[in-house]
Amino acid sequence: GASATLSSFFSGAVGELVAGGPARVWRFSSPGADSHRHELGFAAFASDRITVTPKIAVDAGLRFDSVSGSADDAAQGMTWRTLEPRANVRWTISDRFWRPALTVGYARSAYRLPLDLLAYGDPAAPYADIYRWNAFSGTPGNVTTVGPLVERVGPGTRGDDSFSSVDPELKRPVADEVVAGHDWKPAEGLQFRILGIARQESNLVGLLNTGAPQYTVKQVPDAGPNAGSPEDDRLVPIYNRLIQSFGLDRYLLTSGLRGDAVFNGVQIDAEMVRPKYLLRLGATAGRAIADSANVGYGPLENDQSLVGDVNANPNSSTFARGRTFNDRAFTGKIVGVYRFPKATTLGFLARYMDGQPFARLIVD
C-alpha cells in the first residue's frame, strides 16, 4: 500500500514567454484543502521449471497483480487486475563443438499505479486558468495586463466532477516482450551471446479534452531538418483556437488515444573467466518509438509513460511520434577484474552511451 498527503500547492500568476515575447498568463489556484491519495495492491505468482528432454528446458510463470487507488472525495477511482504470463524455452543444441544453445522467451508486465495519476478527478488537486498576455508594451515581468480567458486546465475538478474525471473503463498499460537469442561456450570460462529483443507497450494513458474546443488551421512552410535542401520541405499545420470555444474545457483521463510504444534492439555479450582475472564486454543497439507526451524533448515531455497534452491540444500532436528521451541507440560496456595475491583486486569499468534524441521546435 501507499498514500500521500499534499498541501503546499502553488497559487499565483506566472507569465509564459514564447520566443522571448509575452504569450500567456497562467493563474494557478489551490482548493485550500489537503489532497489525500492512497492505493492498495496485491500480487501472487507461481512458477515452475520443466525439463522436457535433457536438452530442452522450459521456465514458465504466471503472476496476478491487482491494485486499486483513489483520492479522497473523488467521484471515480482506479482498479486494475492483470494476469502476467511468462515463458522461456532453452534448447541446448549440442554438448560438443562450442555447446550452442537457443533461447526464446515471452513475458508480459504491467505499469504500476503512480499516486500522481490519482490527481485527475481529485477535488483537492490544483487547477489553473490560462489568459492571453497583453503586455507587449510592458515588461516581461508584468503579468497583470492580461487578455481574455483562453483555456482552463486541471488536474483538479474546480468543484465540478465533470471538469476533470477518470474513465471508468480506464485500462492498465502493459508491456509485451519477446526475446530470442543464441549463445556459445567455446571453452570453459568463455561464453558469447547475442540476443534480440522486441517490446510493445499498449493501453497508454492520455488526456482527452471533451469540451470540444474549436480551431482554425493554417499551413506554415517549414524548411525541414535539412534547411539547405528542398527534399524535406513541408507544410506544418498550426491550430488557432476560436474565441467562442475559450474556456469550454473538460478533461477525461482515458486509454486508447495514443499509439503503442515499441522497442526493437540487439544485445551482444562476451565473458572470459579465469582463476586470476575476469573480463566482460557488452554492447546494445536499439530503437524506441513512441508518442511524445508534450511538446519538447526533455524528460518530462518526450516520454510515453507521461499523460501530457498530446491528445488534448492538436498543436502538441503534430509530429509527436518519434524516438523517446530515454532512447540511447548504441551503448557499450567493458568490465575487468584482476586478482592479486593476498586478497587484493584491481578492477576497471568503461561505458559508452549515445546522446539523447532531440527535435526542432517551430514557433508561430
Side-chain angles (χ1 to χ4, degrees), residues 111-112 114 117 173 201 204-206 258 261 290-293 299 301-308 324 326:
Y111 276 35
R112 58 180 292 270
L117 201 63
E201 300 174 43
L204 298 175
V205 176
R258 300 161 67 179
D291 292 346
S292 177
E301 300 159 339
N302 190 17
D303 191 292
Q304 73 269 23
S305 62
L306 302 173
V307 176
T324 58
N326 290 314

Side-chain angles (χ1 to χ4, degrees), residues 76-140:
Q76 179 68 44
M78 302 179 192
T79 299
W80 291 333
R81 296 184 178 92
T82 312
L83 287 175
E84 303 168 29
R86 66 172 180 84
N88 187 79
V89 181
R90 179 177 176 82
W91 174 32
T92 303
I93 301 174
S94 173
D95 292 328
R96 306 169 65 181
F97 190 65
W98 285 32
R99 290 177 283 179
L102 292 175
T103 301
V104 178
Y106 164 80
R108 164 167 284 194
S109 58
Y111 276 35
R112 58 180 292 270
L113 175 59
L115 292 174
D116 285 348
L117 201 63
L118 301 175
Y120 295 92
D122 182 1
Y127 53 88
D129 294 323
I130 305 175
Y131 298 85
R132 185 180 295 160
W133 189 359
N134 295 335
F136 293 93
S137 59
T139 62

Side-chain angles (χ1 to χ4, degrees), residues 187-361:
E188 191 65 31
L190 184 62
Q191 181 174 349
F192 300 96
R193 182 179 68 168
I194 182 170
L195 187 69
I197 305 169
R199 182 171 62 249
Q200 177 174 307
E201 300 174 43
S202 54
N203 300 334
L204 298 175
V205 176
L207 200 62
L208 179 65
N209 192 339
T210 60
Q214 301 173 352
Y215 299 87
T216 58
V217 60
K218 66 176 180 179
Q219 303 289 336
V220 176
D222 175 36
N226 188 358
S229 173
E231 295 180 356
D232 59 350
D233 290 1
R234 56 192 172 186
L235 294 176
V236 176
I238 303 295
Y239 297 87
N240 190 33
R241 189 164 178 173
L242 296 179
I243 295 177
Q244 56 265 34
S245 69
F246 280 5
L248 300 180
D249 304 283
R250 294 286 189 276
Y251 298 99
L252 177 68
L253 189 70
T254 186
S255 51
L257 300 175
R258 300 161 67 179
D260 294 346
V262 296
F263 172 82
N264 298 286
V266 176
Q267 177 180 327
I268 300 175
D269 298 303
E271 180 182 71
M272 179 181 290
V273 181
R274 293 291 185 264
K276 287 191 175 182
Y277 65 88
L278 163 70
L279 184 63
R280 289 177 177 168
L281 300 92
T284 66
R287 188 169 184 259
I289 301 293
D291 292 346
S292 177
N294 295 293
V295 173
Y297 44 83
L300 300 181
E301 300 159 339
N302 190 17
D303 191 292
Q304 73 269 23
S305 62
L306 302 173
V307 176
D309 69 346
V310 63
N311 300 112
N313 185 339
N315 286 309
S316 296
S317 62
T318 302
F319 306 128
R321 190 164 183 82
R323 306 187 75 153
T324 58
F325 175 84
N326 290 314
D327 181 15
R328 301 294 182 265
F330 300 99
T331 69
K333 180 186 289 187
I334 178 171
V335 179
V337 176
Y338 190 87
R339 300 177 179 88
F340 291 94
K342 297 183 179 180
T344 302
T345 60
L346 176 67
F348 71 91
L349 167 67
R351 183 175 66 177
Y352 167 80
M353 296 180 67
D354 263 10
Q356 72 181 61
F358 64 92
R360 298 159 54 250
L361 296 178

